[in-house]
Amino acid sequence: MPPVPPPDPSLPKSAPGPRGSGRERGSEPPLSLAEAVGGPRGIIDSAIPTVAFVTVNAEAGLTAAIVVAIAAALGLVVLRLVRREPVQQAFSGLFAVGFAAFIASRTGSADGFFLPSIAKNAVCSVVGLLSVVAGRPIGGYVMAGFDKRYTGWREDPAVRRAAVWATLVWIAVFGVRFVVQGLLYLAGETGWLAAANIALGLPLFGVAVLATFAIVRRLAPLPARGADPVGEPAALAETGDLAEPVEPPRP
């Protein structure tokens, strides 16, 4: 077996994270805005029932608008099933539209259709803010849920800082939605409420996802795969970047 040539020192080396952190930059796959919002299909699925509700309400009244909105959401589920496309988003939309329609029917007002969204954004903003104040930002738990290499995020200052900033991004998203939709609701602007619901829905969600990925990549890149339980990647042994020298095998 021929000897393995030594690495060429003129070639650039990948920059590992801080010693002992077990992180390497650039380990996450790229994500586009279209992927973050579910593509054009995701935007359309979220917009059709809302547009149908507002349009029919202006022409035929609240009851007809509720029926059409639910029928549109149900039709999207059937369409995705027939075309064998992912239906999770369509099912979520059907549940959200059904609940919003129920609230509208109970309040007797078309504006009530948007009350669940306004309340949800208010609750999410408060919960996120409280988690940051308590030193347990929700972003850290989400990061650990998506990747087990972030399980010890509270013990790593860089990852903890990334979790705080990521949580603040989502607090801002939910806060903007709550303020804008809340003011439009108080003003009785049903049409503008629908427009804000669509514009501040999946498109803003996609921007927030990209911002979160950028924060995590910048402040706390994913640990290298193959890292040992204490977070020291085995690959560092090959580069010699270890706290203790690696002894050559004895004959």
Side-chain angles (χ1 to χ4, degrees):
M1 182 176 180
V4 179
D8 188 349
S10 64
L11 295 177
K13 296 181 179 181
S14 59
R19 187 188 302 272
S21 66
R23 293 187 301 271
E24 288 185 351
R25 296 187 182 278
S27 55
E28 300 89 347
L31 181 71
S32 67
L33 180 59
E35 292 171 335
V37 301
R41 181 181 65 232
I43 298 177
I44 292 174
D45 285 359
S46 65
I48 287 179
T50 301
V51 173
F53 175 83
V54 175
T55 303
V56 175
N57 177 73
E59 298 295 331
L62 181 60
T63 301
I66 290 174
V67 172
V68 171
I70 295 177
L74 183 59
L76 289 171
V77 172
V78 174
L79 177 62
R80 302 308 171 203
L81 288 172
V82 171
R83 299 182 62 175
R84 297 183 178 180
E85 296 175 342
V87 296
Q88 180 179 0
Q89 195 163 2
F91 270 118
S92 299
L94 176 61
F95 175 80
V97 169
F99 185 67
F102 171 76
I103 298 298
S105 67
R106 300 299 296 175
T107 60
S109 170
D111 295 343
F113 186 84
F114 302 96
L115 273 178
S117 176
I118 297 173
K120 177 197 70 176
N121 290 319
V123 171
C124 290
S125 298
V126 173
V127 171
L129 186 59
L130 290 177
S131 73
V132 172
V133 172
R136 297 174 178 268
I138 293 178
Y141 296 100
V142 174
M143 291 164 62
F146 275 104
D147 196 298
K148 292 183 179 180
R149 289 171 287 175
Y150 282 133
T151 301
W153 64 271
R154 294 187 62 200
E155 285 71 39
D156 190 318
V159 181
R160 190 167 61 248
R161 185 166 57 252
V164 170
W165 281 105
T167 305
L168 291 175
V169 167
W170 289 97
I171 292 173
V173 169
F174 293 122
V176 167
R177 288 175 176 175
F178 170 69
V179 171
V180 173
Q181 293 181 350
L183 291 175
L184 291 173
Y185 175 83
L186 294 176
E189 297 288 347
T190 306
W192 284 108
L193 258 175
N197 186 269
I198 295 171
L200 300 178
L202 282 180
L204 184 58
F205 173 86
V207 172
V209 168
L210 293 181
T212 302
F213 269 79
I215 289 171
V216 173
R217 276 196 293 258
R218 175 75 174 179
L219 299 180
L222 281 171
R225 295 196 178 276
D228 63 21
V230 296
E232 191 73 35
L236 291 180
E238 300 177 2
T239 64
D241 188 13
L242 289 172
E244 299 294 336
V246 180
E247 296 183 1
R250 296 183 180 181

